Each structure stands twice: as C-alpha cells, then as structure tokens.
Amino acid sequence: ESGFQIQLPGQPRSMSRTVTPQKGLEITIHMYIVSLHEGRVALIAGYHDVPEPPATDAKRKEILDGGVNGTLVNVVGQLLTHEEMEVEGCPGRRFTWRGSRKGREIAGQSQLVLNGRRVYQLSIIRLATMDADEKLSTRFFWLRRMIDSSTPSTVMPDRNSSKTECPVTIPLVFSSSMV
C-alpha cells in the first residue's frame, strides 16, 4: 500500500465522511485538519480510495476531475485556476477556488494526486478576505515524492534550516497503528 507523509504545524483533528458521487457508489474520505490564525485558515490532508485502479488515462482524468468537482460542490465554489501536474509519475491536479461555507466566503488552494486506487488531497482554506500565504503554500504543497509504507520519508522538510517549523508529522501511509 502506498502513501505519503506530511508535516503539519500542530496536532490535527481527524474526521471521515462518506459521500455518494454517483448512484450506487459510496466513497469514504479520511481527513486530517489543522486550524491556524484563530480558525481563519485550515490545512487539510486527506485521502480516499476509488473502487478499482483506473486502467486508462481517460479514467484517471475522470477520477481527478471528479475530485476537483467534488471539492467545488462541497464549498459551493467556483474554479479560479486549474493545472495538471505529476508526482513521481502519478497524475494530479492543482487548483484554486472561491466559495462559501457556513455563511462565510472562503478561498482555497488544493492539490490532488492519484496513486493506484488512492486519491490524496491537500487543501489550504482561508477566509476570502485574507491574502494567500505564499510561504505556507510553498511548504504545504511541496509534495516531493510518494513513498511505500516500508520507506519512511519526510515529504515537506524545511529546505532552509536544520530545524523544522512544523513539528507534527502525520504519516499518511495510513495504517490504524500509525495515526
């Protein structure tokens, strides 16, 4: 089973939610969330599995585009930017959006990566009145490499210092004994 690791600037709260993107298909999304700036910013790292590994580029595109659309539906949002990307040969999407949640205008940056049948998502969500924090975005989205569960690796190290500003490592290799 494959995964990745990420460092977060605090102890996350975890939650899972089951969604039905199409009739007869239920997907459980697992998320780890850290709130910053008195709740005005949230960092979210999460994943979900699709029923089977996609066999074609068209199916991979459909899954990733579905993840983008699912994000927009969840936040009653509008897509602002969208680009295709890869992490170690795994296809992905990077996108920004604006929306509303619980009566508050929000903005976000998200990244999806598909590895086999697992979709990983990283998102930074902030109040729409706040400027994006480019330093935080650069550190959070610096998803350098996918790993397998037997090869621990820090994906988001502090590239400028021997000490880290983000002390909590969440091993998103996700076995029940790890989180």
Side-chain angles (χ1 to χ4, degrees):
E1 186 169 9
S2 62
F4 67 93
Q5 292 179 341
I6 190 163
Q7 293 178 334
L8 295 171
Q11 185 64 41
R13 65 182 167 91
S14 64
M15 65 179 286
S16 295
R17 183 175 74 198
T18 301
V19 297
T20 307
Q22 63 189 41
K23 187 174 181 166
L25 176 63
E26 285 190 346
I27 293 176
T28 300
I29 302 169
H30 307 277
M31 295 172 278
Y32 296 83
I33 304 163
V34 172
S35 293
L36 303 172
H37 305 293
E38 298 167 351
R40 296 182 312 232
V41 175
L43 302 180
I44 302 172
Y47 73 97
H48 70 274
D49 291 326
V50 295
E52 58 188 53
T56 65
D57 287 341
K59 187 63 177 171
R60 286 184 276 280
K61 180 182 181 337
E62 178 185 323
I63 289 169
L64 290 166
D65 290 346
V68 172
N69 291 333
T71 299
L72 298 175
V73 166
N74 186 48
V75 298
V76 190
Q78 171 188 359
L79 187 64
L80 300 177
T81 65
H82 179 268
E83 67 179 304
E84 294 183 7
M85 42 93 61
E86 277 190 4
V87 175
E88 288 193 353
C90 296
R93 299 288 185 273
R94 188 174 291 127
F95 57 103
T96 61
W97 47 268
R98 289 182 74 93
S100 65
R101 190 82 171 149
K102 298 180 182 176
R104 295 167 36 168
E105 293 298 312
I106 57 175
Q109 300 164 272
S110 297
Q111 177 175 292
L112 296 168
V113 175
L114 175 63
N115 186 6
R117 58 185 289 256
R118 184 156 285 177
V119 178
Y120 298 96
Q121 182 163 356
L122 303 175
S123 293
I124 299 175
I125 302 173
R126 67 186 192 308
L127 292 179
T129 56
M130 297 177 67
D131 290 331
D133 182 334
E134 293 306 318
K135 182 178 177 185
L136 178 64
S137 298
T138 299
R139 288 181 53 79
F140 189 62
F141 289 119
W142 192 57
L143 182 55
R144 182 177 47 132
R145 70 185 214 112
M146 305 297 284
I147 61 169
D148 68 40
S149 59
S150 64
T151 312
S153 173
T154 300
V155 171
M156 199 177 71
D158 185 344
R159 292 178 280 177
N160 301 316
S161 168
S162 61
K163 66 180 187 177
T164 179
E165 296 173 12
C166 300
V168 177
T169 298
I170 303 303
L172 294 180
V173 177
F174 292 111
S175 71
S176 59
S177 64
M178 297 187 83
V179 177

